[in-house]
Structures are given as C-alpha cells and as structure tokens.
Amino acid sequence: MKKFFDSVDQEILLKILSFRIKDSTTLNLLKEIIFSFNSTGGGKIGMPIGNLTSQIFANIYLNELDRFVKHELQAGSYLRYGDDFIIVENDLEKLRLFRTQVTNFLNNKLKLVVNPKSDKILKPSHGLKFLGIKFWLSGRNLNKRSFMRAQTRLNSSNISSYSGLIKSHCNEKKQKYFNWFLLEKLTDNKAS
C-alpha cells in the first residue's frame, strides 16, 4: 500500500472495530486513541507509527483485505505481512482480474491506494522480491540492502536473530563472510 499508516481512514477502522467490540467504554477508549492522530491536518486520516496499537490496528484494518482475497476472490495462494501482500496464480488472465478487483476493493472499501512501484505481475523465473528476500523456484537469497542492514545493526542482543536470518537466506559464501564479521565485531567489543 502507498503510505499505508498515513492513509488509514479512521472512521472505517472504528466501524470495523465496532463490529466485534460491543462494550461502549472500550470503544470510546479506542476512538480516543485512533482520533488522537491526524496525518492530513483536516480529516480523520492516518495512524501514528510506533504507537503500540498501530500494528494491531493495521492487522484489523487489513483483515478486510484478507477476507476479500480468500473468500470473495478465492485466490489459491495469498500472503500478507503488514501492508505488503502477494497473490500467486498460474492463470495470467485470472491474476490480472484479481489485480483489478483488489485495487478496486482497496480504493472503494478501505480508501487505500496500491503502491505503483510494487504493483507487478512477475513470472516465477524472474524471482520475487518480498520483505527483503528474493525468492526463486530453486531457492531464496537475502537482498544486499538487508544483508548490509544486518551488519550495521548487529549487537549483542540481536546476534541470534541476524545469524538465523543470514543462515536461512544466504549462500555459504555470505554466511562465512558474516560469521567472520561477527567474530571481528565480538573481538572488538571485548577489547573496548
């Protein structure tokens, strides 16, 4: 989605929440949290990034998309993480129809716009970039930016997370390089 957190329609979010939550005190508290932020300066649009409720609200809001894709379109393979999603379909014409229907659903029901940079139909042989990883039918590889970020952000509290990421998504050569980098960083920290 294009600028998802800045584009969430607060009235729609509150309406979605009110379908499930019947307690007026809880709804008033959620309304207070939701309406405490405004990205446009005028209307009730947007959610603050970093607020503990933002990720929960994002998943609740985009659950409507999940339900549409799974139950209305009945797409065979669909994956969403945050505001990024993919639909996998063998039939190109069906995939094009899905694209149009999803775009219309997002525009009309959730008041969201698909990011044109990410709106692509790809052949499996071209690979798929998703969440910092490039996937092919034969395997996957961490992209350069994510590999560099792992090195930059590496510290004693996240060693196991980044080591697992590198081990799962990098070839043997990059794994060895990262292990030497890790050893050097640990040695430098002990010397300081």
Side-chain angles (χ1 to χ4, degrees):
M1 264 46 90
K2 186 176 182 182
K3 297 188 177 183
F4 171 74
F5 285 97
D6 290 338
S7 304
V8 168
D9 186 299
Q10 295 172 354
E11 294 287 352
I12 293 173
L13 175 58
L14 197 59
K15 185 177 177 182
I16 293 168
L17 289 168
S18 69
F19 288 138
R20 299 278 183 200
I21 300 168
K22 301 302 177 195
D23 180 60
S24 60
T25 305
T26 304
L27 269 176
N28 285 334
L29 176 62
L30 293 173
K31 185 177 183 178
E32 187 79 24
I33 293 168
I34 293 165
F35 291 163
S36 69
F37 179 81
N38 191 324
S39 64
T40 62
K44 295 177 179 174
I45 303 293
M47 273 193 298
I49 298 173
N51 187 334
L52 293 176
T53 58
S54 297
Q55 296 301 320
I56 296 167
F57 288 155
N59 278 326
I60 290 169
Y61 199 79
L62 290 173
N63 182 58
E64 300 302 307
L65 172 64
D66 300 342
R67 292 169 50 85
F68 175 73
V69 172
K70 288 187 220 172
H71 301 293
E72 299 289 323
L73 299 182
Q74 296 183 343
S77 297
Y78 167 74
L79 173 68
R80 180 181 64 81
Y81 183 85
D83 63 336
D84 296 316
F85 67 95
I86 57 173
I87 298 174
V88 180
E89 177 59 53
N90 290 328
D91 183 343
L92 183 59
E93 288 309 312
K94 196 173 183 182
L95 189 58
R96 287 184 176 139
L97 178 63
F98 285 172
R99 172 199 255 168
T100 302
Q101 291 174 318
V102 166
T103 301
N104 289 338
F105 177 83
L106 289 169
N107 290 339
N108 299 327
K109 300 289 184 187
L110 297 179
K111 307 291 186 225
L112 297 172
V113 176
V114 174
N115 188 338
K117 291 180 183 177
S118 302
D119 184 15
K120 298 175 184 174
I121 294 179
L122 303 168
K123 293 182 179 182
S125 59
H126 294 150
L128 168 71
K129 292 179 186 176
F130 190 66
L131 303 174
I133 301 167
K134 185 142 185 186
F135 296 90
W136 291 277
L137 292 174
S138 60
R140 62 187 178 267
N141 194 15
L142 195 65
N143 69 21
K144 186 176 181 178
R145 181 177 173 212
S146 297
F147 186 76
M148 297 303 288
R149 185 181 302 138
Q151 292 178 68
T152 305
R153 295 183 178 176
L154 185 68
N155 62 47
S156 59
S157 65
N158 62 24
I159 288 173
S160 60
S161 293
Y162 282 125
S163 293
L165 179 74
I166 301 301
K167 186 177 180 182
S168 297
H169 302 295
C170 290
N171 61 29
E172 193 174 328
K173 183 178 178 181
K174 277 191 175 179
Q175 288 179 36
K176 285 181 181 179
Y177 173 84
F178 186 81
N179 288 337
W180 280 109
F181 176 82
L182 175 62
L183 183 62
E184 184 177 303
K185 187 152 184 144
L186 289 172
T187 306
D188 287 347
N189 285 344
K190 285 183 181 178
S192 317

